[in-house]
Amino acid sequence: MKVLFVASEADGLVKSGGLADVARALPVELIKDNVDVKLLIPCYRPLIAQDYPVVADSVSVQVNMWDKFGCRFRKTELDGLTVYLLEHNVYFDREGMYDDGNQAYEDNGLRYALLCQAAFSLCETLDWFPDVFHCNDWQTALLPFYLREHRQFDARFNQAKTVLTIHNGAYQGYVPKHYLTNMGIHERFFTDAVFESYDQINLMKGGLIFSDHVNAVSPGYKDELLADETSHGLGYFFRSIQDKFSGIINGCDYGQWNPEVDHALPANYSAEDLSGKTTCKTALQQEMGLPINPDIPLLGNISRLVDQKGYNLLIPAMRELLSQQDVQIIVLGSGDPVITADLHSLQHQFPDKFAFYKGYSVDLSHRIEAGSDIYLMPSIFEPCGLNQIYSLRYGTLPVIRKTGGLKDTVKSLALNSSNWKTATGFGFEEQTPEACLKAMKQALKVYLEKPERFKHMQLTAMAKDFSWETAVKPYLKLYKELTD
Ligand code: ADP
């Protein structure tokens, strides 16, 4: 079985969110199951600076009938996985991956069209032709279209199957329609049944139509994509492809996320001996400039600062909690300027209780996972979510909104606590700050008043196994079904 994984980011090289974690961990796991898998991502500015070895120079990639783009392939490795980097400096030597910090690049359609077409050029360069092209999100959603429309008479490719994994259905890749021809999409495909949405090109829609299989990254999110209210406007579209649509929960890369061996931590710990977690907590308090006291409950949150993550619920709930109780809260994130300003204002209001680190820091994210007692994840929607899974392994009980993958991975404590022996976190449903605050208080009550019970829940959480070793199985089965 040969699989080319094509993605727009990969952990260890360039990362903005969970897609990067999956683009690394899933292929690495597939290798262990004897799949011949390679990964292709763009060579963005920070990667150009690394000067990875060139495997092919002056490769001509054709995107439409006329235009050929001179590209280069470089190569590197992640945990034994060969990663090819597509170098085209006009398109990828830029400040950001998808935007300039404020606005999406206007030519994103062309940039990722090039990535999709380059996937075929890479195969030609390597003389290696996959059974499956595994695409991820809108950035690579054009590949199945190109395979069926541009490569239908090419015997090296036309037996290959395509899988499109939806990591986040809210980002659909809207492109102005005047790019149609330049992207090699004939006007006849610019209809509501294929690429058109609101008079623009919607890349994800085309991907849904042309892929041989589509999967969401959790069964819960799959169900949400099939329902009108929670499908980001594409419910009718997802329902129309139901027979090739599934939900497969992500795994967790315990090679990166394991408190027993995590190098980013000041102390390691395990379910057998949690004492290192207290060291992590006090070190984190010190690092973030908060009073050092292991007895004060510490709540953590790490995220892209976007509306999806529920800051409209969390910020008022945190303000209320901070004014009422002796707690500490740490937030690590970057993104939306309005959310950023609100978090700065909380920090000014509660300097001894609230710390906000604006930015992106993988090491600090590990230390927050380890040093906090409770993790906050009140997302409005969550395709799978990884931080709650990391939190479980780090014994940091998550407070979640019961949606998508959060609901699938965290077992919330009942209001009457009847299920405390099996629960792994705290949940709420209603999209209100009050409901969010209530769940946070429920967590704090157990932490403060029933420490033995809290510890039992920590141990239950730490024993949960979301390893890729298990999570990879449905993908293996899917590849086999598609290619048999
Ligand atoms: P999403 O993909 O929607 O961003 P996930 O929970 O699936 O959400 O994955 C987020 C990943 O990105 C996690 O690995 C998380 O630790 C990481 N992350 C998000 N924001 C930051 C940040 N500011 N600093 C470090 N890591 C971050």
Side-chain angles (χ1 to χ4, degrees):
M1 177 73 70
K2 296 200 283 280
V3 177
L4 181 64
F5 217 86
V6 190
S8 55
E9 49 184 275
D11 178 49
L13 295 169
V14 276
K15 171 169 171 178
S16 76
L19 161 62
D21 298 57
V22 178
R24 173 185 189 158
L26 173 54
V28 165
E29 197 60 43
L30 288 165
I31 292 175
K32 294 183 196 155
D33 287 288
N34 298 317
V35 178
D36 179 6
V37 53
K38 302 177 195 303
L39 169 65
L40 171 67
I41 65 167
C43 194
Y44 299 105
R45 185 169 292 171
L47 300 178
I48 297 171
Q50 298 295 318
D51 202 20
Y52 291 113
V54 174
V55 279
D57 222 339
S58 316
V59 178
S60 169
V61 180
Q62 184 138 15
V63 172
N64 55 45
M65 295 269 273
W66 311 274
D67 295 321
K68 289 187 172 150
F69 293 76
C71 299
R72 192 182 266 162
F73 289 114
R74 292 179 183 268
K75 180 166 120 168
T76 183
E77 221 185 82
L78 287 172
D79 308 330
L81 165 73
T82 307
V83 186
Y84 291 93
L85 308 168
L86 169 68
E87 186 173 332
H88 182 275
N89 290 351
V90 174
Y91 279 173
F92 297 119
D93 183 8
R94 295 188 185 180
E95 191 64 36
M97 278 193 272
Y98 312 124
D99 54 52
D100 60 10
N102 284 313
Q103 253 194 321
Y105 295 123
E106 211 254 347
D107 58 354
N108 269 346
L110 282 176
R111 298 172 71 225
Y112 290 101
L114 181 67
L115 175 66
C116 294
Q117 294 282 25
F120 305 116
S121 308
L122 175 67
C123 300
E124 289 164 340
T125 303
L126 301 175
D127 195 22
W128 176 91
F129 298 94
D131 302 297
V132 176
F133 287 94
H134 193 141
C135 310
N136 297 276
D137 278 348
W138 66 266
Q139 294 91 337
T140 49
L142 268 175
L143 192 153
F145 167 76
Y146 290 145
L147 184 68
R148 293 289 161 251
E149 285 302 314
H150 295 195
R151 301 275 172 171
Q152 59 182 314
F153 302 116
D154 187 337
R156 298 167 307 171
F157 292 108
N158 61 13
Q159 298 304 309
K161 302 295 183 201
T162 50
V163 173
L164 174 63
T165 298
I166 308 291
H167 300 263
N168 194 327
Y171 302 105
Q172 295 168 12
Y174 274 97
V175 178
K177 69 175 171 188
H178 65 83
Y179 280 113
L180 269 179
T181 315
N182 283 340
M183 289 167 69
I185 306 174
H186 193 277
E187 265 185 24
R188 75 191 153 94
F189 297 110
F190 191 62
T191 65
D192 179 48
V194 194
F195 278 108
E196 190 269 337
S197 277
Y198 305 105
D199 209 30
Q200 294 191 69
I201 308 168
N202 180 324
L203 296 178
M204 184 172 287
K205 274 178 77 176
L208 298 179
I209 290 295
F210 284 96
S211 297
D212 293 301
H213 192 87
V214 177
N215 78 290
V217 286
S218 69
Y221 190 51
K222 178 206 153 196
D223 293 342
E224 289 177 10
L225 290 177
L226 290 170
D228 283 330
E229 317 75 58
T230 46
S231 58
H232 323 290
L234 286 186
Y236 71 105
F237 221 74
F238 280 104
R239 289 195 292 277
S240 76
I241 58 146
Q242 262 198 79
D243 54 340
K244 59 168 186 180
F245 184 36
S246 64
I248 304 177
I249 193 88
N250 280 337
C252 171
D253 184 352
Y254 292 119
Q256 304 291 324
W257 294 94
N258 176 0
E260 295 181 37
V261 291
D262 191 330
H263 296 303
L265 308 185
N268 292 111
Y269 61 92
S270 65
E272 286 71 45
D273 179 6
L274 283 173
S275 56
K277 187 164 173 64
T278 311
T279 312
C280 290
K281 179 173 178 176
T282 49
L284 180 64
Q285 288 169 323
Q286 180 166 32
E287 180 177 357
M288 300 303 293
L290 293 172
I292 299 167
N293 180 347
D295 298 324
I296 297 182
L298 177 57
L299 298 85
N301 168 260
I302 304 152
S303 184
R304 293 181 296 119
L305 302 181
V306 290
D307 292 343
Q308 176 201 337
K309 301 295 177 178
Y311 287 99
N312 57 332
L313 318 180
L314 185 60
I315 289 172
M318 290 194 299
R319 182 169 286 119
E320 196 62 29
L321 186 71
L322 289 162
S323 59
Q324 289 176 8
Q325 271 187 248
D326 195 13
V327 296
Q328 294 179 347
I329 305 179
I330 292 172
V331 175
L332 162 64
S334 58
D336 187 303
V338 177
I339 300 173
T340 305
D342 281 346
L343 292 168
H344 276 310
S345 114
L346 269 185
Q347 195 169 19
H348 285 125
Q349 204 180 341
F350 303 99
D352 288 339
K353 292 174 140 186
F354 185 83
F356 170 45
Y357 182 100
K358 174 175 171 267
Y360 200 96
S361 166
V362 174
D363 278 358
L364 180 57
S365 74
H366 284 246
R367 291 196 287 274
I368 294 176
E369 284 291 359
S372 308
D373 302 299
I374 292 162
Y375 188 80
L376 302 170
M377 200 145 171
S379 308
I380 301 304
F381 71 93
E382 196 56 77
C384 176
L386 289 168
N387 283 107
Q388 84 283 9
I389 301 179
Y390 304 150
S391 302
L392 294 174
R393 183 48 62 100
Y394 282 68
T396 306
L397 297 182
V399 174
I400 57 148
R401 202 177 84 73
K402 294 182 195 169
T403 179
L406 294 173
K407 191 175 60 184
D408 288 347
T409 50
V410 176
K411 191 157 185 199
S412 302
L413 184 70
L415 284 181
N416 64 5
S417 298
S418 57
N419 63 342
W420 68 270
K421 285 195 173 146
T422 53
T424 55
F426 308 88
F428 67 99
E429 259 160 54
E430 234 182 287
Q431 283 184 37
T432 62
E434 293 75 26
C436 180
L437 179 63
K438 195 171 160 194
M440 286 158 81
K441 284 187 170 175
Q442 184 196 21
L444 288 168
K445 201 167 153 61
V446 182
Y447 178 87
L448 293 167
E449 296 174 17
K450 301 247 189 270
E452 284 313 311
R453 197 170 276 189
F454 193 88
K455 180 155 182 213
H456 182 93
M457 286 178 67
Q458 283 181 302
L459 299 184
T460 312
M462 292 175 87
K464 290 287 169 209
D465 183 9
F466 289 97
S467 65
W468 271 110
E469 210 180 319
T470 314
V472 74
K473 298 271 181 320
Y475 283 107
L476 288 168
K477 188 162 168 269
L478 175 62
Y479 296 159
K480 208 167 167 322
E481 281 167 8
L482 285 172
T483 54
D484 260 357

